[in-house]
Every structure is written in C-alpha cells, then in structure tokens.
Amino acid sequence: MDFANFEAANFNPALLPDGAVKPTAFFTGGFQEEKIKLVDICIVKFKNDRGVVLSVNIAHAVVDGYGFNMFMHRWAEISKELVSDCTATDFGVSNVVYSRSILQKAVPTPQKPLLSELYKMYIPGGYLSRLVAWVSPGIRGKIVESIHASADISISCFHVSRETLDQLRQSVKTISATDQRISDNDVLMAAITIAYAQSILKHKSEHPDVGLASWLKPTLLGSSSKNLKNFVAVEAADIRHRIPNSNLETYSGNSAISMMMLNPIELLQMPASPEVLTQVALGVRKSTEGVTSEYIAQSINGGDAESDVVLRPLIYKARVAERLMATNFSRFTLYKTDFGWGIPQFVAPANTKIPKIATFFPAHPSKGGVYVHLVDSVSILQQMRTNSFWAERFEFVY
C-alpha cells in the first residue's frame, strides 16, 4: 500500500486492505469463532518503508478510552526503548493497576434504591434481552453482528478548527450571560445533537416506514418513536477524577459510565440559532455536572444488578431514530504515542458497524481542532453533509 495515496485520501480507513481493521460490537473475534480475543492488533506496512498503519481493537469489557490511552503509551514507551537498543531490564515497572477491586473500594455505597437514578437510562427488559444475556459471549457477538450486518452502515469524518470551537464557546458564554463554565465538549455535543437530530428527522420525513415494516420494527425492537417528544443524547463519562481521593488515575480497566441529555425535538427542529445552541450546550453542562457520587454509585452498582441491564438500550433502542451515543477522546494525548519513529500522522476510530455513534478525536498538533467521526447509514451521513449549520462549521474529511 502506498502512503502517498492514503495521505491524499485524508487517511480514509476504507482504503485499507480487507481485514486490516477489525472493529466489533462487543468482543473481538467473537463473531466468527467461539473463542474471544480480548485484543486484536493488525499492522499494515506501507511500500518503501514509509511507515505503518496500526489497528488496535481491545474489548470494551477490558478497558475504556482512558485505559486504552494508558495501554498505547506504555506500549509505545517500551517500543521506543527497544529502538534505542535497551534491554528488558531497562523498562522499569509500570504503576498501572487493573484489578477492579480498586474501583469497587473507591465507589461509594448508593444512598437511594438501586436503579432509581437510572430508570431513564436502563429501560425495562424483556425476553429478548434476557435471552441474549444468557447465551455465551461468542454467540451473543454473532447475534449483535447479524443485527447490523445487512445494514448500509458507514463512517464519516468531519473537522472543526480551534478557532471555530472558540467562537462557539464564546457565543454560548455571551448569550447565557453567566459565569457558568462552558467546555469544548459542551459545544461539540450541542452542535452534533442539533445537526444530527435535524438530519435524521428530515430523513424520516422523506423515507417513512410503511406497510409491514412500520409494524414489525416497533414490535420486535421496542423502537416505536412515532410519538417521542425528546431526542436522547448519551455520552460516556469517566469517573476517575470525579470521586475525591479515589486514586483511580492508575486504574486501566473500564470505569466509564453514561450520562444522558434530553432535548425537545420541537427545539431541535428550529433553525440552529446561537440561542438554540446555547440552550442545548447548557443542558450538556448540567448533565456533566450531574455525574455526582450518588449517580456514579448507582451506575456502577446498578450495572451489575440485572444480567441484561446493559443490553437493553442496544437491543430495544438501537433502531430509534431520535438517539445518539457519543464518546470524547479529544483530551487524550494520542499524538504523544511515539514508538520510536515519531508521533502518529493520524488517529481515528474504526467503523464499528453500529449506527448512531459519534466519537471526538484530537487532530494532529500541526492542524489543531477536533475530528468528529459519525457512524450511521449512508443516507443519514449524506444529510449531515448537507445540513447548513453543520457544513458551515465542520469540514467534511471523508
């Protein structure tokens, strides 16, 4: 594979050879074989020693984004030492802790009835979610994969500059007329919530379900959204720095929980004015600050309360149009993972084949800003590209 061609295509992963990227929904390798691979790594070498593409897929049950970042840095650190002809004894001992006991000790005991704080997030279960939770992880992976295998799912990448982000933040701060802290994440989530909601609602109006499909979808998936009044945006929240004196900074396991933002569909259908952006961004800030010790305790303990609790949103709400799941990697130091030959030219997620997922990644230091990666149907992604509010601020990359 030629690096120049890959670079000219803005590092679009679609150009990589088949099998070079192996994204999965639950467990790596669980769809084609009964054995589960917790880590799947593939290296594609460019012609004339121009570099490599490193594809790393670690099961979410093992790590979250923070733990993934720790793993990559430690791997790069050891590689760099080997390039410098150091011996194994020179690597030192890592202070990373994987045992989940450190998390269990840090998380406080819930003060309210279990799941009482999460009833909106963890919807009631049914026979289908309990069945999927009961089967082996390998079979579960195949079931999840088959749900999305026939869908026309793709991934698009957009770039927002540092200047535009600063302008959006300042606009929100000015209109809100308060001393409320507004972060990049607040305006990123607000912007994509508005543009994505408008895109899928426009698509639904142009391509409504008719006939048998209009009955089967809500019946089988519990996804009747005809009378929904709110658009649901869910974002992963890391608890490591949210529990005082927890010493979780060295914990490499999965400690991410979810926070949810509800916005009236009627609001999001309005023209994307600075006032609408401000209202949605303030809602993101409120949800972020709502991740309290009690909410964390409910999330960690509630997730273990019933076997199918984390499967319910995926199974019953996967096809609800008015929903988006987002994860923010933009604060991670991904461009400092030097394996001994310099920092990466481009870092991006793979196409998970699960729709309605957005991820925010940092851009290369020479470029600045943030990349927004969105997974959905080709038609929805096309609607995003033509959304005027989005297109004016977020440059299409691939």
Side-chain angles (χ1 to χ4, degrees):
M1 184 174 181
D2 188 79
F3 175 78
N5 295 337
F6 193 47
E7 184 179 33
N10 296 318
F11 306 104
N12 188 343
L15 272 66
L16 294 173
D18 292 340
V21 180
K22 300 177 181 178
T24 57
F26 278 18
F27 294 98
T28 309
F31 305 134
Q32 288 78 32
E33 52 192 79
E34 287 305 316
K35 291 184 178 179
I36 297 172
K37 296 180 183 178
L38 297 181
V39 181
D40 201 335
I41 296 174
C42 182
I43 300 175
V44 177
K45 187 177 180 180
F46 291 112
K47 294 179 180 178
N48 304 317
D49 292 327
R50 289 292 307 277
V52 299
V53 174
L54 186 62
S55 172
V56 183
N57 187 8
I58 306 178
H60 207 342
V62 179
V63 298
D64 55 12
Y66 186 98
F68 177 85
N69 192 46
M70 293 173 70
F71 169 78
M72 293 301 297
H73 275 280
R74 181 56 175 165
W75 183 11
E77 179 185 3
I78 294 174
S79 173
K80 195 170 185 179
E81 294 292 338
L82 289 173
V83 171
S84 302
D85 295 327
C86 292
T87 63
T89 57
D90 298 324
F91 298 153
V93 179
S94 173
N95 62 348
V96 172
V97 178
Y98 182 73
S99 174
R100 196 167 175 82
S101 62
I102 186 177
L103 182 67
Q104 295 168 336
K105 292 177 182 178
V107 174
T109 302
Q111 300 301 306
K112 299 179 181 179
L114 205 57
L115 293 180
S116 63
E117 296 282 293
L118 309 176
Y119 69 96
K120 291 181 180 179
M121 184 72 66
Y122 296 112
I123 59 180
Y127 292 111
L128 182 57
S129 62
R130 287 194 288 271
L131 173 63
V132 174
W134 175 76
V135 300
S136 70
I139 296 176
R140 184 185 309 149
K142 294 176 182 177
I143 293 174
V144 176
E145 175 76 354
S146 65
I147 293 175
H148 302 287
S150 60
D152 187 18
I153 303 300
S154 184
I155 185 169
S156 284
C157 175
F158 304 88
H159 177 260
V160 57
S161 68
R162 178 72 263 167
E163 180 182 6
T164 298
L165 272 177
D166 290 341
Q167 291 173 351
L168 291 173
R169 287 178 61 238
Q170 187 56 49
S171 173
V172 170
K173 289 179 68 68
T174 300
I175 294 175
S176 62
T178 66
D179 294 330
Q180 181 83 354
R181 175 177 178 264
I182 299 297
S183 68
D184 286 349
N185 184 72
D186 296 335
V187 294
L188 282 169
M189 277 301 301
I192 196 169
T193 296
I194 294 169
Y196 184 69
Q198 292 178 350
S199 297
I200 59 176
L201 291 170
K202 182 178 180 181
H203 180 267
K204 282 184 66 178
S205 67
E206 295 175 353
H207 304 87
D209 289 326
V210 296
L212 185 61
S214 63
W215 176 83
L216 280 177
K217 185 182 292 186
T219 301
L220 296 178
L221 295 173
S223 62
S224 180
S225 57
K226 189 175 297 185
N227 300 314
L228 287 182
K229 296 181 180 180
N230 292 316
F231 179 90
V232 182
V234 180
E235 187 172 23
D238 184 7
I239 72 171
R240 287 175 177 83
H241 304 287
R242 299 175 187 268
I243 303 178
N245 305 315
S246 63
N247 297 317
L248 289 174
E249 291 83 0
T250 59
Y251 177 61
S252 63
N254 188 354
S255 67
I257 62 174
S258 298
M259 61 181 190
M260 184 167 61
M261 294 140 279
L262 298 177
N263 285 283
I265 291 177
E266 184 178 0
L267 169 69
L268 300 180
Q269 286 179 315
M270 298 171 62
S273 65
E275 290 75 18
V276 172
L277 179 71
T278 298
Q279 185 170 338
V280 179
L282 291 177
V284 178
R285 173 51 37 188
K286 182 179 179 181
S287 295
T288 302
E289 295 180 349
V291 183
T292 61
S293 295
E294 176 64 19
Y295 187 85
I296 292 172
Q298 290 274 333
S299 297
I300 297 298
N301 292 281
D304 297 330
E306 300 177 45
S307 61
D308 68 330
V309 70
V310 296
L311 294 169
R312 297 172 193 170
L314 178 67
I315 293 174
Y316 296 112
K317 295 295 185 180
R319 297 301 185 185
V320 173
E322 296 81 1
R323 184 180 178 86
L324 177 69
M325 174 68 191
T327 304
N328 193 339
F329 287 79
S330 65
R331 295 180 182 177
F332 294 147
T333 54
L334 299 173
Y335 285 95
K336 291 185 178 180
T337 50
D338 184 352
F339 283 77
W341 300 279
I343 66 173
Q345 290 295 305
F346 188 72
V347 182
N351 183 357
T352 64
K353 290 297 182 182
I354 298 181
K356 308 183 186 308
I357 291 182
T359 49
F360 309 139
F361 270 66
H364 191 277
S366 64
K367 186 177 183 66
V370 174
Y371 284 113
V372 178
H373 304 265
L374 179 62
V375 181
D376 211 317
S377 66
V378 173
S379 54
I380 293 292
L381 295 177
Q382 181 60 36
Q383 291 284 5
M384 284 289 289
R385 291 180 61 183
T386 58
N387 181 278
S388 58
F389 167 77
W390 186 259
E392 290 171 7
R393 297 162 178 83
F394 293 76
E395 175 190 7
F396 176 71
V397 180
Y398 59 75

